[in-house]
Amino acid sequence: MPDYIDVVGLRVASELHQFVADEALPGSGVDQAAFWAGAAEIINELTPRNRELLARRDELQRAVDDHHRRAPGRPERGDYAGFLTSIGYLVDEPAPFTIGTDGVDDELATLAGPQLVVPLLNARYAVNAANARWGSLYDALYGSDVIDEAGGRERGGGYNPVRGAAVIARVREILDRSFPLAGGSHADATRYAVDADGLVVTVDGAGVRLADPTQFVGFRGAGGESGAAGESGAAGAGGEPAAVLLTRHGLHVEIQVDRSHPVGAGDRAGVSDVVVEAALTTIMDLEDSVAAVDAADKVLGYRNWLQLMRRRLTAEVDKGGRSFTRTLAADREYTTTGGGTVTLPGRSVLLIRQVGLLMTTDAVLDGDGRPVPEGILDALVTGLGSVHDLRGDTAGGNSRTGSAYVVKPKLHGPDEVAFTVELMARVERLLQLPPATIKLGIMDEERRTSVNLRRCVYEARDRVVFINTGFLDRTGDEIHTSMLAGPMVRKAAMRDETWIRAYEDNNVDVGLALGFPGRAQIGKGMWAAPDNLADMTAQKIGHPLAGASCAWVPSPTAAALHALHYHEVSVADRQRELARRRPVDRLELLAVPLAESADGWSPEEIAAEVDNNVQGVLGYVVRWVELGIGCSKVPDLAGTPLMEDRATCRISSQHVANWLRHGVVTREQVEESLRRMAALVDAQNTGEPGYRPMAPAFEELAFAAARALLFEGVDQPNGYTEPLLHEHRRAQKKRDQEKKEMVRS
């Protein structure tokens, strides 16, 4: 337990109290006594309601369970909808309305592009993600599997000129598609220059213009200047700039020219790189991708958020034997042909994802000595951090419109959205912010939110800033909600089920009908295979085609590549087309994904499904509990690295729990799989610093946590993994601390 300081009826962990007093409050304009008095009032008044909402979740789940006990199997949708309405699970839709959110930055309101999600406790990841607003297309293609290795030559062992040439050729093709010339090809360019009329590209000895001259925005530097961000200069008539800025569908691309650069020296036009505007927005995550279980963990996340808002977060990097400090990127300045200046943001617009309603934290104890709701504490302390971007010397580094952006996960239905809106309003008053300064991103990832999405948006109509499908958590909730109806389809078959198509389409339909374009984002979920970017470039274009103005990517490299999809698709045009289609019947969202007959699966198919789920749970949980890593690349059974977080763990554990509940698999089969898969996971983690093998003793806390998730999954609240993960991680930290103390003594 941490040391505590008594403050107006609360007991605040000393490290949190010190952080607030010494770091977060100075320069905020908020008085320390007023902050803690207001925090105590909010905690004392809203905590009982938080508990009531959680109790309502349990009440509804019991009613649904009882229904499926009485009538197991696939329910008829009309009757099922009537039952859900009778218990208050399904509510009436509101009268037609449009959202009234204003003061939203263009990156969320009008532009379309990639969105990163990054664990906030890792400063290096956070800085990299914030800087991923701009990314080298040459680096992204060279370092990924998008470019096949010409001639069968393997990557590695230094620069591969064959691969490099293939990258350059691919980029020229991209330039031809996005920024075609009036004649000829970028592949044949020998010079990029700027004159009084704009861009001139020399092709076959002749100067040609862009087919659409309005795509030229400006330039940087002149002659052989390096063109570092922030430089500007006038090019003479026909002069060769250091960088040329172009735009398509609101996104920018910078062609960098440097004939002294190793790449530029070998390029006929002197092009050293092509940099794309990529991650327009980034979610700094305090939830699914982190393992934050105590005051020390929470303060680390709060400090990183504060430093981001003050534009002071740095990270020490050791790369290739070279150590340096990475800082947040500066804005980028360009000169127009008329001599004016264009300034573009150098960083993503940042959102903060707080935790939901379920978990509590002992970073603060209430008057009865009970841990307070973690989501309420997140709202208070990250809100205080956001103040530094809203007023004072560092204002405007993140939001140029004076807004703070919060993503709220795992909300179940409109009452919980309304509670979140009230919490935000209370925080605004405490921090002396204008009403609706704090904007709300609603994760459409729980079944009760999906089927009541219009009513959920209505409750946040003046501050909603996105609705985003989280298909991973949504699948976990789908399994748990209908746990007693029968055995679920195999996990890979879930994407072909009626409910998931309806769910993805409904999120877009609702956003378009309620006036999101021009005011808020409509989002899609994560690409979960971070090393399989060739597949991503082939498939993820489906997200802008589906009408999404943002979609999640797992890395800056993926952001740079996914940005190209928004060059190919005008999301604004696509949304206008989709607005004319027939909206989804929300009863389709109630199609329970039950298997037609579990008898149709062979023993080998059942064993393979169980092994896949068990290995995924073990691979994720062992890093979470042992190493405190909340999100990582976990190899699957075939060795393919997949991004795993609590949402993927929720699916796998709930799927096994469902098959156990309905006798598709026995407890003994799962126990046997656990032991085999533990040995496999140990082998996959060979060489991982600090890793403790689970096999053959099977006595490590990580193994116990994974086992509990599988065998106690039916009883976990809404199927969430957090309670068991937190319990075992805290025990592991205590055990590690005791060992350190023993060594010292």
Side-chain angles (χ1 to χ4, degrees):
M1 292 287 287
D3 295 328
Y4 288 98
I5 295 174
D6 293 329
V7 184
V8 289
L10 301 175
R11 300 188 67 204
V12 182
S14 58
E15 53 202 311
L16 174 60
H17 187 273
Q18 185 175 358
F19 163 74
V20 170
D22 296 347
E23 301 177 51
L25 284 170
S28 70
V30 179
D31 174 75
Q32 179 171 330
F35 176 78
W36 285 117
E41 182 178 315
I42 290 171
I43 289 169
N44 291 333
E45 293 183 10
L46 294 189
T47 293
R49 291 183 50 198
N50 195 114
R51 294 190 186 115
E52 289 169 3
L53 291 167
L54 294 177
R56 178 61 173 157
R57 292 184 188 180
D58 294 340
E59 178 186 4
L60 289 172
Q61 185 62 56
R62 285 193 297 270
V64 172
D65 287 345
D66 289 343
H67 176 82
H68 289 311
R69 285 191 186 94
R70 293 191 301 270
R74 192 185 304 275
E76 194 281 321
R77 290 181 205 167
D79 292 343
Y80 190 42
F83 159 70
L84 293 176
T85 301
S86 72
I87 64 173
Y89 186 107
L90 191 64
V91 302
D92 292 338
E93 297 203 314
F97 73 98
T98 56
I99 64 171
T101 315
D102 58 15
V104 181
D105 289 274
D106 289 345
E107 288 86 345
L108 291 93
T110 60
L111 298 176
Q115 187 169 71
L116 271 170
V117 185
V118 64
L120 182 54
L121 270 62
N122 189 310
R124 181 166 64 88
Y125 290 174
V127 173
N128 286 350
N131 290 347
R133 176 65 174 260
W134 298 87
S136 165
L137 198 51
Y138 278 10
D139 288 350
L141 290 168
Y142 187 89
S144 71
D145 67 341
V146 176
I147 297 291
D148 291 332
E149 194 67 35
R153 295 173 61 182
E154 296 296 326
R155 282 181 284 166
Y159 180 71
N160 182 336
V162 175
R163 184 172 185 79
V167 168
I168 292 170
R170 177 69 67 88
V171 172
R172 293 303 203 275
E173 293 172 3
I174 292 167
L175 291 175
D176 281 340
R177 288 200 304 271
S178 293
F179 309 102
L181 301 175
S185 166
H186 286 276
D188 299 318
T190 57
R191 182 178 175 85
Y192 288 88
V194 176
D195 64 14
D197 295 321
L199 181 65
V200 183
V201 183
T202 302
V203 179
D204 296 329
V208 298
R209 305 282 181 180
L210 293 169
D212 179 2
T214 64
Q215 289 188 301
F216 173 69
V217 177
F219 63 94
R220 261 195 300 110
E225 294 178 13
S226 65
E231 288 185 3
S232 62
E240 186 175 79
V244 171
L245 184 68
L246 309 175
T247 185
R248 179 173 175 81
H249 297 158
L251 295 181
H252 296 86
V253 169
E254 182 182 289
I255 301 173
Q256 296 182 350
V257 179
D258 185 352
R259 296 185 184 272
S260 67
H261 187 277
V263 175
D267 188 274
R268 289 193 299 167
V271 175
S272 57
D273 203 351
V274 174
V275 176
V276 296
E277 192 174 19
L280 297 180
T281 54
T282 291
I283 296 173
M284 294 292 168
D285 190 22
L286 278 175
E287 197 234 359
D288 263 6
S289 68
V290 302
V293 301
D294 55 25
D297 294 335
K298 296 301 294 185
V299 169
L300 176 57
Y302 294 154
R303 178 176 289 114
N304 286 348
W305 178 250
L306 171 66
Q307 294 297 80
L308 284 166
M309 293 297 95
R310 300 175 73 190
R311 285 175 282 167
R312 294 178 184 174
L313 187 63
T314 62
E316 299 304 315
V317 180
D318 189 348
K319 193 172 184 179
R322 183 171 65 96
S323 298
F324 60 95
T325 300
R326 180 159 288 157
T327 61
L328 294 169
D331 291 342
R332 305 167 81 91
E333 291 188 356
Y334 303 87
T335 302
T336 67
T337 53
T341 300
V342 172
T343 301
L344 295 179
R347 302 164 305 285
S348 290
V349 172
L350 307 181
L351 304 88
I352 178 75
R353 182 161 69 167
Q354 303 166 356
V355 303
L357 274 64
L358 176 63
M359 298 304 292
T360 59
T361 175
D362 65 359
V364 176
L365 306 179
D366 65 17
D368 296 321
R370 293 177 296 185
V372 305
E374 190 175 357
I376 294 179
L377 185 64
D378 278 358
L380 288 162
V381 184
T382 65
L384 179 59
S386 295
V387 167
H388 292 267
D389 184 59
L390 300 173
R391 58 176 177 250
D393 295 340
T394 57
N398 185 52
S399 171
R400 299 178 302 281
T401 62
S403 290
Y405 301 107
V406 170
V407 178
K408 195 68 173 178
K410 297 178 173 59
L411 295 175
H412 291 247
D415 289 346
E416 295 190 11
V417 175
F419 172 80
T420 301
V421 168
E422 181 174 350
L423 172 60
M424 290 179 166
R426 297 284 295 268
V427 170
E428 286 167 346
R429 291 197 293 272
L430 170 61
L431 300 177
Q432 304 156 37
L433 298 173
T437 293
I438 303 174
K439 306 301 193 289
L440 173 62
I442 300 173
M443 291 301 303
D444 176 11
E445 59 186 353
E446 305 296 330
R447 193 170 183 252
R448 189 151 56 105
T449 291
S450 296
V451 297
N452 297 302
L453 186 57
R454 287 175 185 260
R455 175 67 67 175
C456 289
V457 173
Y458 178 80
E459 297 295 343
R461 58 195 177 277
D462 292 327
R463 66 171 79 228
V464 65
V465 80
F466 85 35
I467 46 176
N468 194 313
T469 53
F471 67 92
L472 296 173
D473 261 309
R474 180 66 178 79
T475 301
D477 193 56
E478 186 72 27
I479 296 171
H480 187 84
T481 301
S482 304
M483 178 68 72
L484 301 190
M488 297 290 156
V489 298
R490 297 180 67 179
K491 197 165 63 173
M494 196 65 79
R495 284 187 173 276
D496 298 325
E497 289 293 302
T498 297
W499 75 265
I500 201 164
R501 175 198 56 76
Y503 159 65
E504 294 286 356
D505 287 350
N506 184 67
N507 192 76
V508 175
D509 291 345
V510 169
L512 296 179
L514 302 186
F516 275 56
R519 291 185 180 272
Q521 290 178 322
I522 302 172
K524 293 291 183 184
M526 180 65 77
W527 178 261
D531 291 347
N532 295 7
L533 296 183
D535 290 341
M536 187 198 78
T537 59
Q539 299 175 34
K540 204 169 173 67
I541 194 171
H543 282 160
L545 284 172
S549 56
C550 70
W552 287 4
V553 287
S555 67
T557 295
L561 296 170
H562 183 42
L564 301 177
H565 293 140
Y566 299 89
H567 287 222
E568 296 184 50
V569 178
S570 167
V571 172
D573 290 346
R574 185 63 181 146
Q575 288 180 340
R576 282 188 284 271
E577 295 172 7
L578 293 170
R580 296 192 291 269
R581 74 181 176 189
R582 183 183 66 83
V584 169
D585 180 349
R586 68 173 176 162
L587 294 189
E588 294 182 37
L589 294 160
L590 301 176
V592 180
L594 297 183
E596 291 297 331
S597 173
D599 296 336
W601 295 319
S602 69
E604 293 76 18
E605 288 175 320
I606 292 171
E609 186 75 13
V610 172
D611 283 353
N612 176 276
N613 283 319
V614 169
Q615 187 269 345
V617 170
L618 282 166
Y620 175 67
V621 169
V622 72
R623 298 185 183 193
W624 211 100
V625 172
E626 295 273 350
L627 306 175
I629 299 174
C631 180
S632 60
K633 290 194 293 186
V634 176
D636 65 7
L637 280 171
T640 301
L642 300 177
M643 291 298 294
E644 299 281 348
D645 64 8
R646 290 204 296 264
T648 57
C649 188
R650 185 185 183 192
I651 295 175
S652 297
S653 59
Q654 287 295 294
H655 197 271
V656 172
N658 172 262
W659 277 19
L660 278 167
R661 176 66 175 73
H662 295 284
V664 178
V665 64
T666 67
R667 187 182 185 92
E668 291 72 25
Q669 286 175 296
V670 175
E671 293 277 19
E672 190 274 335
S673 179
L674 273 165
R675 284 161 170 74
R676 277 191 299 105
M677 292 302 105
L680 173 62
V681 170
D682 287 345
Q684 291 174 330
N685 282 280
T686 299
E688 182 74 33
Y691 185 83
R692 287 175 284 246
M694 293 176 283
F698 309 112
E699 294 176 350
E700 296 296 335
L701 286 167
F703 186 82
R707 190 173 179 278
L709 284 168
L710 300 174
F711 290 120
E712 300 172 25
V714 173
D715 300 321
Q716 296 309 299
N718 300 104
Y720 290 130
T721 62
E722 287 91 321
L724 287 171
L725 287 175
H726 278 234
E727 173 190 338
H728 287 82
R729 174 61 183 158
R730 289 166 69 93
Q732 185 67 60
K733 292 184 78 170
K734 181 179 179 181
R735 180 182 292 184
D736 292 344
Q737 183 61 35
E738 290 172 348
K739 288 181 179 179
K740 289 179 182 178
E741 292 173 356
M742 288 178 62
V743 170
R744 284 198 297 265
S745 62

